[in-house]
Amino acid sequence: MLYAIISEDIDQSLEKRKSARPEHLARIQILRDQGKLVIAGPHPAIDNDDPGPAGFTGSLIIAEFDNLEDAKAWADADPFVAAGVYQKVSVKPFKKVLP
């Protein structure tokens, strides 16, 4: 089943994001290589693809996991969690309807 991992950043998270980004992306690339990743990316803090020093307000990952517990465990092990980037992470089942 698909699950949405919706994360909200702490204020001024950009430097912490930068330091943990390589490990964060490596884990997501594993999901992609396994054919389990639907989409992943950050939410820019301003209406621009490159928010510069404004940084980001959170992230969204939609991927396939065996069950909700596995999706939560994967989200809890994210390097951004360990680095203190996220203030809140929600994991919810997701039903793709379109396209």
Side-chain angles (χ1 to χ4, degrees):
M1 179 163 189
L2 295 178
Y3 295 88
I5 301 170
I6 306 153
S7 306
E8 296 177 25
D9 283 21
I10 62 167
D11 290 337
Q12 307 297 319
S13 64
L14 188 57
E15 291 307 313
K16 289 183 178 189
R17 271 183 169 269
K18 287 180 182 178
S19 67
R21 189 171 188 261
E23 295 85 8
H24 171 77
L25 290 179
R27 292 180 78 241
I28 296 171
Q29 288 171 349
I30 292 169
L31 287 177
R32 182 200 61 198
D33 294 347
Q34 294 171 337
K36 295 181 177 184
L37 182 66
V38 174
I39 194 166
H43 302 286
I46 60 174
D47 192 11
N48 193 307
D49 282 343
D50 182 4
F56 301 91
T57 62
S59 301
L60 171 66
I61 297 170
I62 299 177
E64 181 181 344
F65 293 92
D66 289 336
N67 54 55
L68 181 59
E69 292 76 24
D70 287 352
K72 286 181 177 181
W74 189 92
D76 288 343
D78 192 311
F80 278 1
V81 171
V85 172
Y86 296 146
Q87 65 177 330
K88 181 179 177 185
V89 178
S90 300
V91 181
K92 301 178 180 186
F94 180 80
K95 180 179 177 183
K96 183 179 176 183
V97 176
L98 295 170

